[in-house]
Amino acid sequence: MLDKTFNPAEIEAKHYTQWEQSGAFSADPGSDSLPYTIMMPPPNVTGNLHMGHALTFTLQDLLIRFKRMKGFDALWQPGTDHAGIATQMVVERQLAEKGISRHDLGREKFLDAVWDWKAESGGNIVKQLRHLGASADWPRERFTMDEGLSEAVRSVFVRLYKDGLIYKDKRLVNWDPKLLTAISDLEVQQKELNGKLWHFRYPIDGEEGRYIVVATTRPETMLGDTGVAVHPEDERYQDLIGKNVKLPIVGRLIPIVGDEYADPETGSGAVKITPAHDFNDFEVGRRAGLEMINVFDKFAHINENGPAEYQGMERFDARKRIVAEFEALGLLEKIEDHVHMVPHGDRSGVPIEPWLTDQWYVDAETLAKPALEAVETGKTEFVPKQWENTYYDWMRNIQPWCVSRQLWWGHQIPAWYGPDGEIFVEESEEAAQKAAAAHYGRDGVELNRDPDVLDTWFSSALWPFSTLGWRGPGDEIPELDRYYPGDVLVTGFDIIFFWVARMMMMSLYFMKEIPFKTVYIHALVRDENGQKMSKSKGNVIDPLEIIEEYSCDALRFTLAAMAAQGRDIKLATSRVEGYRNFGTKLWNAARYCEMNGAEFDRAFDPLSCNLKVNKWIVGKVAKATQEIETALEGYRFNDAANAVYRFVWNDFCDWYLEFSKPILGSEDAGAIEETRKTIAWVLMQILHLLHPFMPYITEELWENFGGKDAGLLISSGWPTFTDAHIDAQADADMDWVIRLISDVRAVRAEMNTPPSVKAPLYLSDGNDEIRRRMSENTDLISRLARLSSLEELSGEMPKGAIQVVVEETTFVMPLGDLIDVGQEKARLNKEMEKTLVEIEKINKKLANESFVSKAPEHVVKEQHDRKADFEGTKAKLEEALARLADL
């Protein structure tokens, strides 16, 4: 016997262990079934489950469970990313607590410490994914620094280098002066700060008393200025283009150049150009052939290229001194308050520096061409389609990809330097020594390995094929042939360029085939007011806490039900609570089945049903199955979730179980037997349809109802139906009965008719079909609509009758003698007055321009939503008053 309530925590632990031990998550390379592959976006090994993870992994798990039940050989390939900077910082902080730095340990011992940490604490995120119900093929779990994946990384680097697609160059990078490494754009966080805009006068060489004014938010970089740019068509400066200014403090002459980067409408129209310390200036400098002078060292202190008195000075101290010196020289025109965005390292929290340095680059422009063509021709499709524009924008304007990082944790670059700086790029030191011997004509050449490691995105770009055993070109791997390319990638929009595009580039270059057919881009999970979750705002919702309070099933169903394509999820705990109640509703329905002797009979054929109500529910099962399946195939997760919700809550629980009560309470043994079997059969179909969304409660109920030889629900097949399962007559008749009962209930509620009071209902006009439906279902309608009688009207219209119109048929319900009409009108009018007052208040607020423009967006939206709710109430009250008008 089922307990009165179910215990999610107990059920979740029990079934997850059971699933995993049974091998239910495993793909079967020897299977004759069609393969279906999802590559898990590898979470950082340092990570903890957040709501974004919960969404993406719920959707992937939903798909993999669905496809598994559909009979596919489903592989959900799991793994984690070594997360270079994040992991190194974690271990360095732990060492710092003991007063040790990584330099004290040296590279080899430090890496040992990182591996030790990874073995102890690096698997938390995987444990948390299990807690979410993720049914990945865990024995296949990979790590981006596994030996096999490391071999693939070395092979790819060497091949790209020898093909001329990886090279060393001196270019600007995002430099973190605290972590002392280049970082990717994704690791740069833009922060809005209140700053200053300093206007400096640069003297025109040879023209005493003439200046050109430039404005800057970073005075310290002026030590590296090598030019001033003006727009070539700016009439104010036509005579200055080609002349020089004398750079204050430094004293060198720098040219005035014409370049469209300078905006005549902004400031003075003239901009200082520091090619070594600004990305835009770098491009101007290249176009104009300007010198690139780096004035910072790796700590962002002034280096040997600055004036002697500035050398060694920290950048912001140098800023203060430069401003003071300009003022003393009479060259500081003005200082303005200025709000601007300043890039910071997201890990270190310090302002990053665009810094000119030698780094390794990938020729992304060349690799991007086939990756662009693959999406343009539809070989890979984005869902929703509009994200293709983001992809195109990145790929058509792609810049060289800086892949070197000045870290110790990561894939060390397989490059060795000879005594004269000659570079030998090989997969091993032994191969590099052979290459050096051939180059220098002698053995035993001393080589030094490049100390840098590769950008984390480099190894994760190989994820679709390296995880399947690929270690280098020419590998023949059966599992790679079977499971590559993947079917769908589920990920967030923020890494379309950083990860999706790079997987496309690498896969097409090395595998000559796209890595996945579909890229499903999910939206952001925000708080209930539409605000982005952040610790500083205090609005972060922890998925693990939600699971503990409301159950894993409730969270999963909530995320699926709200995952509408292209629309952010506004998550409120009240929604999760609501879907927990949905689980409770299902549990109680199962208890009803159990208490009424409904046992699942595998031999039962739903096509054998004779009772109309049973034929009707069988048809509803078939329709719901098709609707859910079609929605999932189209990645319309919210439509699929809402379809199963409507069917379970409305069709099954609210209507069918109510329809079954008089049958089960009758003395018709045949009808009782058929209905018991139908109820149990429908419940079992529900468990199948709902399993991908709510795996735990469905598996628990299946265990109780499926029978001893049923096996696990996770491994059972998806229901299949034909048109024969839908009885059009039964469907039309019972849907009509439901509409009539619903409309009568609505009228009774509007009229405030006490539930205990039964009222007669008369058919005022109707055809033979309506009469038949009414006659065949009189008892059922009367019972559920709380009617004292249901018959065709003969004679005059009863006094105090209210009309109930169902489609084109009119029924009348005499309520004049059952309610106090005067009192009811007074109550409705009072409610109307309150409603109108509230609408007026909201209208005044929304008419206030100051409120609309200054209030947060979610506050304004809340007022619009409240107004819509009150307008709906007003319409209902008007309808109720209209019904009473003639009484």
Side-chain angles (χ1 to χ4, degrees):
M1 189 73 176
L2 288 177
D3 292 337
K4 283 190 176 180
T5 57
F6 68 100
N7 183 333
E10 185 179 305
I11 288 173
E12 288 163 14
K14 177 180 79 172
H15 287 302
Y16 197 89
T17 301
Q18 189 180 31
W19 291 331
E20 195 164 9
Q21 290 177 350
S22 74
F25 300 164
S26 299
D28 179 8
S31 167
D32 292 331
S33 301
L34 287 172
Y36 180 84
T37 309
I38 297 180
M39 286 289 164
M40 177 184 289
N44 286 354
V45 71
T46 59
N48 283 299
L49 192 72
H50 56 64
M51 204 53 82
H53 287 136
L55 173 61
T56 188
F57 291 115
T58 291
L59 299 183
Q60 289 172 74
D61 189 57
L62 202 162
L63 286 172
I64 215 76
R65 286 177 185 266
F66 168 62
K67 289 293 184 176
R68 200 183 280 133
M69 294 176 80
K70 287 281 289 179
F72 286 82
D73 172 29
L75 169 63
W76 188 11
Q77 172 63 54
T80 51
D81 190 280
H82 65 278
I85 291 178
T87 305
Q88 181 158 320
M89 282 186 67
V90 166
V91 178
E92 285 201 67
R93 275 198 298 266
Q94 290 182 348
L95 292 173
E97 290 171 4
K98 302 174 185 175
I100 303 171
S101 78
R102 64 180 162 117
H103 300 285
D104 296 332
L105 290 179
R107 185 171 192 140
E108 191 174 331
K109 288 185 178 178
F110 175 74
L111 291 179
D112 287 342
V114 180
W115 280 108
D116 288 344
W117 173 86
K118 194 262 179 186
E120 268 185 49
S121 308
N124 283 343
I125 186 70
V126 171
K127 292 174 188 171
Q128 291 165 349
L129 288 176
R130 283 177 158 92
H131 202 35
L132 187 67
S135 60
D137 195 342
W138 294 115
R140 294 176 181 270
E141 183 183 346
R142 305 305 301 270
F143 178 54
T144 48
M145 284 183 62
D146 284 349
E147 181 46 44
L149 274 70
S150 295
E151 193 174 329
V153 167
R154 292 191 295 271
S155 174
V156 165
F157 188 94
V158 172
R159 169 75 178 272
L160 290 176
Y161 178 80
K162 293 186 175 181
D163 288 353
L165 295 171
I166 280 184
Y167 57 92
K168 248 194 147 174
D169 194 10
K170 189 180 284 290
R171 294 177 61 93
L172 281 190
V173 295
N174 295 310
W175 183 260
D176 190 312
K178 181 178 179 181
L179 299 180
L180 305 181
T181 180
I183 61 175
S184 73
D185 289 343
L186 192 65
E187 293 157 328
V188 175
Q189 183 181 14
Q190 298 290 343
K191 294 185 179 179
E192 187 176 83
L193 299 179
N194 294 317
K196 302 288 183 185
L197 190 62
W198 289 271
H199 295 256
F200 292 156
R201 297 175 186 154
Y202 283 8
I204 308 297
D205 182 49
E207 297 189 30
E208 191 68 30
R210 192 178 181 191
Y211 307 92
I212 191 167
V213 177
V214 299
T216 181
T217 59
R218 306 185 67 223
E220 62 276 15
T221 64
M222 60 79 50
L223 300 176
D225 284 0
T226 58
V228 172
V230 296
H231 195 281
E233 296 176 9
D234 192 332
E235 294 179 0
R236 294 170 294 178
Y237 302 119
Q238 288 294 303
D239 67 318
L240 290 180
I241 294 174
K243 294 184 178 181
N244 294 322
V245 299
K246 190 170 186 179
L247 187 62
I249 301 177
V250 178
R252 66 172 170 267
L253 295 179
I254 59 176
I256 298 172
V257 299
D259 194 283
E260 292 185 356
Y261 169 64
D263 182 1
E265 304 299 321
T266 302
S268 66
V271 290
K272 60 189 280 303
I273 302 298
T274 320
H277 297 291
D278 183 275
F279 288 101
N280 289 317
D281 291 6
F282 179 80
E283 297 301 331
V284 174
R286 287 208 308 185
R287 290 193 291 269
L290 300 178
E291 190 179 0
M292 300 194 181
I293 300 176
N294 187 350
V295 295
F296 292 137
D297 63 15
K298 64 182 180 179
F299 301 101
H301 293 179
I302 305 300
N303 65 15
E304 69 280 1
N305 293 327
E309 65 273 22
Y310 283 86
Q311 290 177 17
M313 191 176 291
E314 193 275 333
R315 55 182 164 168
F316 297 119
D317 291 338
R319 172 184 293 185
K320 293 174 187 174
R321 182 163 177 174
I322 286 167
V323 172
E325 195 160 347
F326 263 86
E327 188 169 21
L329 292 168
L331 299 177
L332 177 62
E333 177 147 308
K334 62 179 176 178
I335 304 174
E336 296 177 313
D337 290 331
H338 183 65
V339 178
H340 62 138
M341 303 302 289
V342 178
H344 286 65
D346 68 344
R347 303 280 179 189
S348 66
V350 303
I352 65 105
E353 280 294 339
W355 197 47
L356 188 65
T357 179
D358 284 314
Q359 300 284 350
W360 288 92
Y361 289 89
V362 170
D363 178 0
E365 185 178 1
T366 298
L367 291 175
K369 288 174 184 173
L372 256 172
E373 185 266 344
V375 177
E376 288 169 341
T377 57
K379 293 173 188 171
T380 294
E381 295 182 345
F382 278 75
V383 179
K385 194 170 179 62
Q386 68 259 28
W387 288 112
E388 288 179 5
N389 294 327
T390 301
Y391 179 83
Y392 292 148
D393 186 53
W394 274 108
M395 298 294 269
R396 289 169 182 161
N397 298 284
I398 201 164
Q399 297 297 308
W401 172 17
C402 175
V403 293
S404 45
R405 299 290 181 266
Q406 289 63 54
L407 302 169
W408 286 357
W409 173 246
H411 295 281
Q412 192 171 353
I413 290 173
W416 285 262
Y417 299 94
D420 57 355
E422 183 70 23
I423 302 175
F424 302 95
V425 174
E426 300 291 346
E427 292 188 38
S428 67
E429 186 170 1
E430 182 183 9
Q433 285 287 357
K434 285 182 181 177
H439 176 77
Y440 292 110
R442 58 188 173 87
D443 291 332
V445 177
E446 184 179 348
L447 298 179
N448 291 306
R449 187 169 184 177
D450 194 309
D452 290 353
V453 300
L454 286 163
D455 176 13
T456 296
W457 297 107
F458 190 92
S459 51
S460 58
L462 317 183
W463 192 251
F465 52 95
S466 65
T467 50
L468 293 172
W470 186 93
R471 296 189 177 203
D475 278 359
E476 292 292 332
I477 302 162
E479 291 194 15
L480 185 63
D481 291 340
R482 179 167 178 78
Y483 297 113
Y484 183 95
D487 288 86
V488 61
L489 175 75
V490 179
T491 190
F493 66 86
D494 53 335
I495 55 173
I496 288 175
F497 173 69
F498 293 98
W499 190 45
V500 178
R502 287 165 178 170
M503 283 191 288
M504 290 285 286
M505 291 190 286
M506 291 297 196
S507 296
L508 283 162
Y509 193 78
F510 287 96
M511 301 299 296
K512 309 305 178 190
E513 195 173 358
I514 56 169
F516 23 73
K517 299 164 191 137
T518 303
V519 180
Y520 175 80
I521 301 294
H522 64 71
L524 282 176
V525 185
R526 299 179 178 272
D527 72 9
E528 60 186 305
N529 296 316
Q531 300 295 300
K532 193 171 181 179
M533 292 186 196
S534 71
K535 290 179 182 176
S536 60
K537 291 178 184 174
N539 64 344
V540 173
I541 302 175
D542 185 336
L544 296 173
E545 291 178 3
I546 292 290
I547 288 172
E548 186 176 349
E549 184 171 0
Y550 297 107
S551 81
C552 179
D553 285 336
L555 175 61
R556 287 170 59 107
F557 198 91
T558 304
L559 292 171
M562 300 183 77
Q565 290 182 11
R567 192 184 311 156
D568 286 348
I569 292 173
K570 294 180 182 178
L571 184 63
T573 53
S574 58
R575 289 294 296 268
V576 186
E577 184 178 11
Y579 289 122
R580 179 193 62 185
N581 296 342
F582 174 55
T584 301
K585 183 97 168 176
L586 176 64
W587 186 267
N588 290 338
R591 292 186 76 242
Y592 169 86
C593 297
E594 189 177 51
M595 287 186 289
N596 283 278
E599 293 183 4
F600 181 45
D601 179 358
R602 290 187 174 280
F604 173 70
D605 180 4
L607 293 176
S608 68
C609 290
N610 294 309
L611 296 182
K612 185 173 292 184
V613 69
N614 292 334
K615 290 181 178 182
W616 168 78
I617 196 63
V618 168
K620 287 296 184 184
V621 170
K623 286 183 176 180
T625 301
Q626 185 57 55
E627 189 178 356
I628 295 160
E629 189 170 331
T630 301
L632 287 178
E633 295 287 5
Y635 307 104
R636 292 181 287 105
F637 299 100
N638 61 314
D639 289 343
N642 291 328
V644 72
Y645 180 92
R646 285 193 306 272
F647 171 68
V648 174
W649 191 290
N650 298 335
D651 295 337
F652 182 64
C653 294
D654 283 356
W655 292 110
Y656 179 64
L657 293 187
E658 288 300 318
F659 291 160
S660 73
K661 287 177 181 177
I663 300 172
L664 296 175
S666 73
E667 296 181 0
D668 186 335
I672 292 171
E673 182 66 11
E674 178 188 302
T675 302
R676 280 176 173 166
K677 287 185 176 181
T678 305
I679 290 173
W681 178 85
V682 175
L683 178 62
M684 294 305 98
Q685 307 317 303
I686 285 171
L687 299 184
H688 284 76
L689 299 178
L690 194 54
H691 178 75
F693 303 87
M694 304 180 89
Y696 290 112
I697 190 172
T698 52
E699 190 72 72
E700 178 69 11
L701 290 173
W702 176 258
E703 182 178 275
N704 281 272
F705 285 89
K708 290 182 180 178
D709 302 323
L712 294 173
L713 179 60
I714 190 176
S715 302
S716 62
W718 185 258
T720 56
F721 300 100
T722 66
D723 290 344
H725 288 89
I726 301 171
D727 186 309
Q729 188 68 63
D731 204 38
D733 285 359
M734 296 311 299
D735 282 352
W736 179 85
V737 167
I738 288 171
R739 282 195 296 276
L740 175 58
I741 294 169
S742 299
D743 288 350
V744 170
R745 285 175 173 177
V747 168
R748 288 177 60 98
E750 285 172 11
M751 297 299 100
N752 207 26
T753 309
S756 59
V757 173
K758 292 186 176 182
L761 184 68
Y762 299 99
L763 172 62
S764 176
D765 61 76
N767 55 31
D768 289 343
E769 180 72 358
I770 296 302
R771 292 188 186 93
R772 179 189 63 77
R773 286 175 176 171
M774 192 174 80
S775 173
E776 290 177 359
N777 298 284
T778 295
D779 291 344
L780 196 59
I781 297 168
S782 298
R783 180 175 177 274
L784 295 179
R786 301 199 64 76
L787 302 177
S788 57
S789 62
L790 174 60
E791 55 193 66
E792 192 166 359
L793 180 65
S794 60
E796 294 183 7
M797 182 76 68
K799 182 184 177 184
I802 289 174
Q803 289 190 346
V804 180
V805 180
V806 180
E807 295 174 356
E808 296 178 358
T809 305
T810 303
F811 289 83
V812 292
M813 179 180 285
L815 290 178
D817 296 332
L818 301 178
I819 60 173
D820 186 326
V821 176
Q823 187 179 38
E824 187 57 23
K825 283 182 178 178
R827 183 184 72 81
L828 292 172
N829 279 315
K830 190 172 181 181
E831 286 296 317
M832 179 66 82
E833 285 173 18
K834 286 182 185 176
T835 302
L836 293 174
V837 167
E838 291 299 326
I839 291 173
E840 182 60 25
K841 281 183 190 175
I842 295 169
N843 282 337
K844 283 181 180 176
K845 264 190 181 180
L846 294 176
N848 184 336
E849 276 189 40
S850 177
F851 168 76
V852 173
S853 61
K854 293 179 181 177
E857 184 182 344
H858 72 271
V859 172
V860 176
K861 185 181 181 303
E862 184 184 349
Q863 292 302 313
H864 281 290
D865 290 344
R866 288 185 68 232
K867 181 182 176 182
D869 289 342
F870 280 120
E871 292 283 6
T873 302
K874 176 173 170 274
K876 286 180 180 177
L877 291 170
E878 286 173 341
E879 190 175 343
L881 284 165
R883 291 187 196 275
L884 290 174
D886 298 327
L887 297 188

